[in-house]
Amino acid sequence: KPPGLPPGKWGLPLVGYIPWTSKNFEEQVMDLHQQYGNIFLWRMGTQLMIFINDYKLMKEAFSRAEFIPRPDWDVLTLIDEAPHGIVSSSGILWHNNRRFTLRQLRDLGMGKSSLVGAVQQQCLKLRETLAKGAGTAVVINHQLHLSVINIIWYMVASRQFDAENKRLHEFVDLLSDLVILSNRLAIKDFMPWMQNVMPDFLFKRLIKYHEMMDMKEKFLQFFREEVEEHKATLDPNHPRDLIDSYLLEMEAKKDDPETTCSERDLMFLMFEMFSAGSETTSNTFTWVCCYLAAHPQVQRKLHAEIDEVLPSGALPTLAEKSRMPYTEAVIHEVMRACSLINFGVQHMAASDTQLGGYTIPKGAVVSTTVTAIHYDSRYWDRPEEFRPERWLDENGKFSMVKEGFLPFGVGKRVCVGESLARMELFILTTMVFQSFAIAPPPGKSVNLTPDLSGFFFRKAMPNEFVFTAREQ
Ligand code: HEM
């Protein structure tokens, strides 16, 4: 191990450090934090990974230009010839796409817009489904996922599918395949040398190369059809959605030799809106349900606030947010407690640099450990307790504590969809709990232990709930 690097596990050539333990990945990372402190390294295969569990160090790193790039992992690019979109790209392409998408989300008018209307529509559908199952034990995830996907379809392509629509179901299946197939690609990213020692056909079978290419093509086909339809009906004076705006930007820049716009890039950008914006939001709301079902006294206070601000039948908009501090506090406390994306999305050092007194070599991949930060007693009093009140000041006003809180990441790559996600979570929470009370089935309790079987998400266990219709 070269001198000056953070402490940690270097391991053997080619394979790096392989822990021989039955512990899951999160437990292993937490053990290493215990052993080495705020920053440590773990060589995984040939990839040098740096883990940080200190909020200030994390913020410093991700606010610095040399940590903007992403690792050139196939798991991010889906084995395309070059990165596209935002999540996997770096440099000018990333900069342009990020600016475009932020502007697009802002122009869809986060306050009074049709996007708020689309979220309300989807929440009404979710309420209908919940009403049908009221009084019986149900798992909420499926309809919720469909609603969240439909909101993104609306933002991207002004489209909302019926829950029974075959194409919507094909699309949802593709999104689930994506998670499974991406895991296999990690073999290529962490042990690229295996390609050279195995016959090509065997390696491709190992990483499920053909299945991945097939899935990518199916996604692109979905998006290609939408783009073609948009091209045929585009009104330059009235852009309807993300596709229209991108096509107009592409047209405006067609003679600019520096343009980064292309139809393929647009299709990947669309893909990322779904891959980054659907499971994140639906899993967070599933956690809201879990915590409310497990904490009836919190639910009572939430109901009281909803009843006071939103008379029966009134649909919430963002205008009510400032009058609903407890609702905001619940949502934030859930995001802290569940720490959904524990390891964030990885960044890469663009050059040799220093961080926290250590050398971080060019190409090293930097990852957060969000749970360690969200449960750090330097920022959170009695962090193990689920206590929305910690977000309220002495006058009962919601106060956005920023130190030690980073569900959407921090620094230059902070989540592009943060404002959309916050709006969705606010409307989902107010609309669902305006109409229903939630509880575990009789004789059962809510399992709040996260499911740690996936690398990316700390999902809630598949809890059953009983929704009961409320009279306001
Ligand atoms: C509760 C919901 C969400 C959570 C918890 C979440 C969290 C995150 C996190 C942790 C990152 C990584 C930041 C980094 O690289 O340091 C991220 C990036 C990103 N998110 Fe979200 N996100 C959510 C919803 C959304 C939505 C609704 C969209 C869009 C429709 C979205 C689009 C993106 C994109 C495009 C990036 C990449 C930003 C970049 O690389 O510059 N996210 N998000």
Side-chain angles (χ1 to χ4, degrees), residues 70 86 94 98 276-277 280 284 341 345 347 407-409 413 415 417 421:
R70 292 280 189 218
I86 309 175
W94 166 74
R98 192 176 160 93
T280 42
T284 304
I341 309 178
V345 182
H347 294 219
F408 296 101
R413 276 207 184 242
C415 175

Side-chain angles (χ1 to χ4, degrees), residues 187-206:
I187 300 174
K188 189 164 183 283
D189 294 327
F190 286 87
M191 297 200 229
W193 50 267
M194 281 179 78
Q195 251 178 126
N196 305 325
V197 297
M198 279 173 92
D200 189 51
F201 82 94
L202 212 58
F203 185 71
K204 283 187 168 151
R205 193 180 294 170
L206 180 70

Side-chain angles (χ1 to χ4, degrees), residues 5 11 13 24 46 111 136 191 222 225 249 284 315 351 378 441 468:
L5 302 187
N24 64 47
T46 51
T136 60
M191 297 200 229
F222 254 98
E225 282 171 25
E249 177 125 339
T284 304
L315 295 182
S351 54
R378 284 175 295 177
T468 312

